[in-house]
Amino acid sequence: KMVDPTLAEMGKNLNEAMKMLEDNQRKVEEENEKKYARKDIPGPLQGSGQDMVSILQLVQNLMHGEEEEETPQSYRLQNVGEQGHMALLGHSLAAYISVLDRERLRKLTTRILSDTTLWLCRLFRYENGSAYYHEDDREGLLKICRLVIHTRYEDYTIEGFNVLYSKQPVIYISAAARTGLGQALCNQLGLPLSCMCRVPCNTMFGSQHQMDVALLDRVIKDDVESGKLPLLLVANAGTPGAGHTDKLGRLKELCEQYNMWLHVEGVNLATLALGYVSSSVLAATKCDSMTLTLGSWLGLPAVPAVTLYRHEDPSLSLAAGLTSSQPVEKLRALPLWLSLQYLGHDGIVERIKHASQLSQRLLENLKNLDFIKTSVEDELSSPVVVFKFFQEYSNRDQTSHAAPASTIQHPIISNERHVYDTFNQWLGEQLAQLVPASGVDVVELEDEGTCVRFSPLMTSAVLGTEIQDIDQLVDCLKMKIPVLTSTLQLREEFEQEVRRTVGLMYIEDLGWPGLGVVRYNYHSDEKNDDKQEKELEKINAELLKKLNELESDLTFSLGPEFGGQKNCVYIGMVTEDLDVSELVETIAATGREIEENSRLLENMTEVVRKGIQEAQLQLQKANEERLLEEGLLRQIPVVGSVLNWFSPFQASPKGRTFNLTAGSLESTESTYVSKAQGTGTTPPPTPTSSLAKQRLPGQKAFKRSLRSSDGFSETSSISHCDDLEKMDQRPPALSPGHEQGPLETEKPEEQKELAQAQTNSEDTHSDKPPPNCTRGEEQASAR
């Protein structure tokens, strides 16, 4: 077949450009250069221009050149595929087609628009519908609101806001709708926020995310009686958070009763293309309009969203902006027109069916897991799975547990929910990091709190999610559940141990996903708060460093970057074999050691300064005494040497030594008498954890000893440790062929070395100073 050379060249250039942009394995020329190098500074345009390869190379550097070291590479470009290339080619073709002559352009755009609209209406079971293609997924609802205003207010085109003032319109939106939708509509329509009515969801019966139809009926009656005009109702076929569907059948009857427009949106509308559709979603085919986001459902980049609607007056549709007389506006459907033909009916259905199968696979595995609570509306066909970690507190008061939910919650229940929200936030982030192809994210629901959401219709086509990714997600979840349960159980024990330990302060931080937060208190008699704060920061920073140097499985940190407490040690998730008592005792002992060393260093600095001053005075006094003893003649250089030669002057050495422990200057006379330098006062022992000393060889810190049976008690554990200490004190066994004699305190070789050292010490000249003598002693020994 003959192909237009321009179209062939366009497709060829697009393929080459996509291959170059998708080449994520290319190494950056200078990896270690600064983030803002000189080449990133824009310069003047080159007079001769650049070729396409150089420009695409610059685009690739901007796409992948900065944060690749910190964040994993995006899956979006890697999974665009040929169907994505068709969508991207549509944008290039739209620009090329726009230069055709007006008549040919009109025929071509009409064919593209009618074909795409017909395919979509048949695919999603929406008979006799028209389509509006838009980039922003909220723009379709905005144009529908304009259409309804033009329909219900006959003089709106002439009178404008005056007719709205006489009879205020009301738009009803579910409380479970996406955030900011109502405010965005009011801003674009120029309506006050009082025109927007937020309808609560069911609180007593049914789903917690479905619109309360009975309450909506009463609200509409009140608005009609007060002179307002019910205009439009926005319902959900798959709420943004939990994927629940409103009672669309009853809502349609209510809208017909009050002559209101029913608009439906949500991810569950994609299941209309399947062979089996639940009755709750199938009712959406009777609504007045619906918005479809085919780009995320089918993994098509840069394709427009579509709003299907039914209306008989084309002039009002034109006035509302749903249709356009400009042919270029109709070219928005071209990327979707190409992509739908490339995928075909079977390809589209297969992608949506695959996403539903992924949800069912995950839901079946979650049912078999303990401590996992699911929040799924229709377990047989729901494409959205929402789950959370949940475990009852064993020590909670039964009365508070049995109390009904109310606006004023019990403090224990409120704190418990906050803790669960924190833990589920951590769980969702961990799962998303470990299995990025799953596309799970964290969602905040009004009743359930923080949950983990899996919505494959929004992510699987782009990320390329497969069944094995779901199995890997379940395996990671199984590994995280024991960590969550053990940490939750040990949090209270850790708090009690810290509160009863002197020197430690427990910091309650419900937003920290871990064992808890502790701070070592620095006690000082000084009233300078700034100095105490700096000392406290110094001690806790050193404490954190010491704890991280220990060989353990725990993570110690300064806490979150924003919102955390200052001068604290944050302890992360733990396992069930953690010895909380040993952990707390080690933290307290390490803190005391750091504090004592800090005080010792401060005291030593002052003592050494005073000792140096005293030593200088004593050395000066000793020099004066030496001058008086030797006489004036011995100070003359030549005469003194001759006089010392014929008549040596014998003077007893008078040295001084500085005792750091006692903080005082002492005489070295005892050193010359005993021929050995004294050790002075023994420093106090360093405080350590007694439980840490009982750790078995190869056992990491803060781990309980392995127990062979349930009857293994702490007494037997301690006796076992005592046996190990006794074994360490036994003498080494002799080699074969030797008889073992009586236990000796020292070996013969050591006795010989000791005797030789004593002999050498006695033969040493008495005037030779010890190795640690002061400057005065060296001068005395030289003389």
Side-chain angles (χ1 to χ4, degrees):
K1 298 181 181 180
M2 298 297 295
V3 182
D4 188 348
T6 305
L7 295 179
E9 184 68 19
M10 185 184 303
K12 179 181 178 181
N13 292 338
L14 178 65
N15 290 332
E16 294 178 355
M18 291 305 299
K19 288 180 180 179
M20 181 175 297
L21 294 177
E22 291 176 355
D23 185 14
N24 293 331
Q25 305 299 329
R26 186 186 61 84
K27 295 183 179 179
V28 183
E29 296 178 358
E30 297 178 2
E31 296 180 355
N32 298 326
E33 66 180 354
K34 296 182 179 179
K35 184 175 181 180
Y36 297 100
R38 186 170 181 81
K39 65 171 187 159
D40 296 327
I41 302 176
L45 288 174
Q46 296 185 10
S48 59
Q50 300 185 40
D51 55 9
M52 186 183 67
V53 176
S54 301
I55 297 175
L56 291 178
Q57 192 76 24
L58 175 61
V59 174
Q60 183 183 11
N61 293 337
L62 296 176
M63 293 170 59
H64 306 290
E66 293 184 359
E67 64 274 357
E68 289 299 322
E69 297 180 358
E70 301 179 359
T71 58
Q73 293 181 352
S74 174
Y75 284 82
R76 188 172 296 274
L77 282 179
Q78 297 178 3
N79 293 276
V80 165
E82 294 186 4
Q83 78 279 358
H85 292 179
M86 295 299 296
L88 299 177
L89 179 61
H91 292 274
S92 301
L93 284 176
Y96 174 65
I97 293 174
S98 63
V99 301
L100 298 177
D101 61 273
R102 188 174 183 82
E103 183 62 23
R104 185 174 301 180
L105 177 61
R106 185 186 61 79
K107 293 181 179 180
L108 180 59
T109 54
T110 303
R111 171 65 184 273
I112 293 173
L113 191 63
S114 61
D115 287 353
T116 310
T117 303
L118 179 62
W119 294 337
L120 291 176
C121 289
R122 289 180 177 178
L123 188 64
F124 293 98
R125 310 186 186 202
Y126 197 80
E127 299 177 357
N128 301 325
S130 302
Y132 172 65
Y133 302 89
H134 46 93
E135 302 297 333
D136 188 354
D137 55 358
R138 298 176 299 182
E139 187 179 354
L141 177 58
L142 175 64
K143 296 300 177 64
I144 290 295
C145 291
R146 296 186 186 275
L147 174 63
V148 180
I149 291 177
H150 280 278
T151 304
R152 299 297 303 277
Y153 295 91
E154 296 180 357
D155 298 333
Y156 178 74
T157 306
I158 301 175
E159 299 293 336
F161 70 92
N162 289 326
V163 296
L164 301 179
Y165 180 77
S166 61
K167 201 167 187 179
Q168 181 178 348
V170 182
I171 301 175
Y172 302 91
I173 293 182
S174 172
R178 47 182 166 169
T179 306
L181 178 60
Q183 184 176 2
L185 290 177
C186 290
N187 292 338
Q188 294 296 324
L189 295 173
L191 299 176
L193 291 179
S194 59
C195 294
M196 192 62 52
C197 180
R198 187 171 180 264
V199 183
C201 296
N202 292 342
T203 55
M204 298 299 295
F205 307 100
S207 171
Q208 300 297 322
H209 305 277
Q210 289 180 336
M211 198 182 306
D212 194 336
V213 181
L215 180 60
L216 174 63
D217 189 9
R218 294 195 298 268
V219 171
I220 295 176
K221 288 182 180 179
D222 295 340
D223 290 339
V224 172
E225 293 176 357
S226 61
K228 297 180 180 180
L229 178 64
L231 195 67
L232 180 139
L233 172 64
V234 182
N236 292 300
T239 55
H244 289 209
T245 302
D246 290 325
K247 300 179 179 64
L248 300 179
R250 296 183 58 188
L251 293 177
K252 178 60 180 175
E253 297 175 357
L254 193 63
C255 290
E256 291 177 352
Q257 178 182 351
Y258 293 99
N259 194 20
M260 294 172 56
W261 185 284
L262 177 61
H263 178 84
V264 181
E265 60 181 23
V267 67
N268 292 355
L269 292 175
T271 59
L272 290 172
L274 301 179
Y276 170 77
V277 186
S278 62
S279 58
S280 59
V281 180
L282 189 60
T285 58
K286 304 300 181 182
C287 66
D288 298 301
S289 61
M290 64 169 65
T291 297
L292 310 175
T293 55
L294 298 171
S296 57
W297 298 350
L298 305 178
L300 303 175
V303 298
V306 184
T307 296
L308 301 178
Y309 65 97
R310 297 189 184 98
H311 200 267
E312 298 178 355
D313 192 347
S315 61
L316 294 182
S317 299
L318 180 62
L322 289 169
T323 57
S324 175
S325 59
Q326 299 295 328
V328 179
E329 294 291 333
K330 300 178 181 179
L331 288 176
R332 289 181 181 177
L334 182 56
L336 196 56
W337 183 74
L338 295 174
S339 302
L340 293 178
Q341 292 186 87
Y342 182 84
L343 291 174
H345 182 275
D346 295 339
I348 296 172
V349 173
E350 184 62 29
R351 284 177 177 264
I352 299 176
K353 183 179 179 181
H354 175 68
S356 300
Q357 291 175 349
L358 294 176
S359 297
Q360 293 301 312
R361 180 62 172 261
L362 178 60
L363 185 59
E364 292 174 358
N365 287 276
L366 293 179
K367 291 180 179 179
N368 301 325
L369 296 180
D370 296 330
F371 311 113
I372 294 297
K373 179 182 177 182
T374 58
S375 176
V376 180
E377 177 193 22
D378 188 358
E379 296 186 356
L380 297 178
S381 59
S382 177
V384 181
V385 178
V386 177
F387 62 93
K388 62 180 296 186
F389 166 76
F390 184 79
Q391 180 186 12
E392 292 288 347
Y393 276 145
S394 58
N395 58 344
R396 190 205 294 176
D397 186 12
Q398 297 297 329
T399 58
S400 62
H401 174 66
S406 61
T407 56
I408 302 178
Q409 293 184 345
H410 194 277
I412 298 179
I413 301 177
S414 178
N415 292 344
E416 177 186 348
R417 173 167 178 172
H418 201 158
V419 171
Y420 276 118
D421 289 347
T422 302
F423 276 41
N424 282 283
Q425 176 79 24
W426 177 85
L427 177 62
E429 294 174 354
Q430 289 292 311
L431 294 178
Q433 181 179 359
L434 294 174
V435 193
S438 64
V440 296
D441 60 347
V442 180
V443 61
E444 296 286 343
L445 302 180
E446 185 175 357
D447 296 306
E448 287 83 358
T450 304
C451 300
V452 183
R453 178 179 58 187
F454 175 66
S455 182
L457 274 173
M458 303 299 294
T459 59
S460 63
V462 174
L463 300 180
T465 311
E466 299 295 339
I467 295 294
Q468 54 268 22
D469 297 322
I470 303 303
D471 297 337
Q472 183 182 358
L473 179 68
V474 175
D475 294 338
C476 294
L477 185 59
K478 291 180 180 178
M479 292 188 300
K480 297 300 179 182
I481 289 177
V483 177
L484 291 169
T485 54
S486 58
T487 305
L488 187 62
Q489 293 173 357
L490 295 175
R491 278 175 69 97
E492 185 174 356
E493 181 182 353
F494 175 76
E495 179 180 356
Q496 294 176 357
E497 288 289 340
V498 172
R499 292 189 185 280
R500 70 167 62 104
T501 303
V502 179
L504 297 183
M505 175 184 293
Y506 180 80
I507 306 299
E508 186 175 9
D509 190 349
L510 301 178
W512 171 248
L515 184 64
V517 187
V518 63
R519 173 186 295 161
Y520 183 83
N521 279 335
Y522 172 72
H523 301 285
S524 177
D525 298 334
E526 298 183 4
K527 298 182 179 181
N528 192 347
D529 296 336
D530 294 338
K531 185 176 182 181
Q532 290 185 10
E533 186 71 18
K534 293 181 180 179
E535 191 65 25
L536 180 65
E537 180 180 359
K538 179 181 178 182
I539 292 177
N540 283 277
E542 185 67 20
L543 174 62
L544 177 62
K545 180 181 178 182
K546 293 285 186 181
L547 293 175
N548 283 323
E549 292 176 355
L550 297 177
E551 187 176 354
S552 66
D553 295 332
L554 301 182
T555 56
F556 304 94
S557 64
L558 293 174
E561 184 178 359
F562 303 101
Q565 297 287 338
K566 294 177 60 178
N567 305 329
C568 296
V569 176
Y570 284 75
I571 306 174
M573 293 289 177
V574 299
T575 54
E576 60 181 355
D577 56 351
L578 173 69
D579 194 333
V580 179
S581 301
E582 179 185 350
L583 172 62
V584 175
E585 186 176 351
T586 302
I587 295 175
T590 307
R592 288 194 299 268
E593 176 185 353
I594 297 173
E595 182 180 2
E596 291 183 4
N597 291 340
S598 177
R599 291 182 177 178
L600 179 62
L601 183 60
E602 292 181 358
N603 297 335
M604 187 181 300
T605 303
E606 184 66 20
V607 168
V608 169
R609 186 182 64 81
K610 294 180 179 179
I612 292 175
Q613 295 178 356
E614 185 178 354
Q616 290 177 347
L617 294 176
Q618 293 191 10
L619 287 176
Q620 182 179 359
K621 184 178 180 181
N623 291 332
E624 294 176 357
E625 294 178 354
R626 182 174 58 81
L627 290 176
L628 295 176
E629 293 179 0
E630 294 180 359
L632 181 61
L633 293 178
R634 295 183 183 271
Q635 309 306 318
I636 301 174
V638 179
V639 178
S641 300
V642 176
L643 186 58
N644 288 333
W645 177 265
F646 289 101
S647 177
F649 180 77
Q650 299 293 336
S652 60
K654 297 180 181 179
R656 298 291 185 270
T657 179
F658 185 73
N659 191 342
L660 291 177
T661 304
S664 61
L665 285 173
E666 299 177 358
S667 175
T668 58
E669 184 178 356
S670 59
T671 303
Y672 290 100
V673 173
S674 60
K675 301 295 191 296
Q677 189 171 4
T679 58
T681 309
T682 304
T686 301
T688 57
S689 175
S690 60
L691 295 177
K693 299 178 182 177
Q694 301 175 5
R695 195 161 60 246
L696 300 177
Q699 182 181 358
K700 291 188 176 182
F702 317 128
K703 294 289 185 180
R704 291 196 183 97
S705 301
L706 299 177
R707 300 185 178 183
S708 58
S709 62
D710 296 339
F712 192 91
S713 62
E714 294 187 6
T715 306
S716 59
S717 175
I718 296 175
S719 62
H720 179 64
C721 295
D722 294 339
D723 294 339
L724 291 176
E725 294 179 359
K726 293 179 181 179
M727 292 175 62
D728 295 338
Q729 295 176 0
R730 294 179 183 175
L734 298 177
S735 59
H738 294 270
E739 297 181 357
Q740 186 174 359
L743 185 64
E744 297 178 351
T745 58
E746 295 176 352
K747 296 182 180 180
E749 293 80 359
E750 296 177 352
Q751 293 179 352
K752 292 180 180 180
E753 294 177 359
L754 182 59
Q756 184 67 25
Q758 293 176 353
T759 305
N760 296 337
S761 177
E762 294 175 356
D763 295 340
T764 306
H765 193 272
S766 60
D767 292 341
K768 185 177 181 180
N772 296 330
C773 63
T774 60
R775 183 177 178 182
E777 299 176 14
E778 295 178 359
Q779 295 175 356
S781 60
R783 291 191 299 271

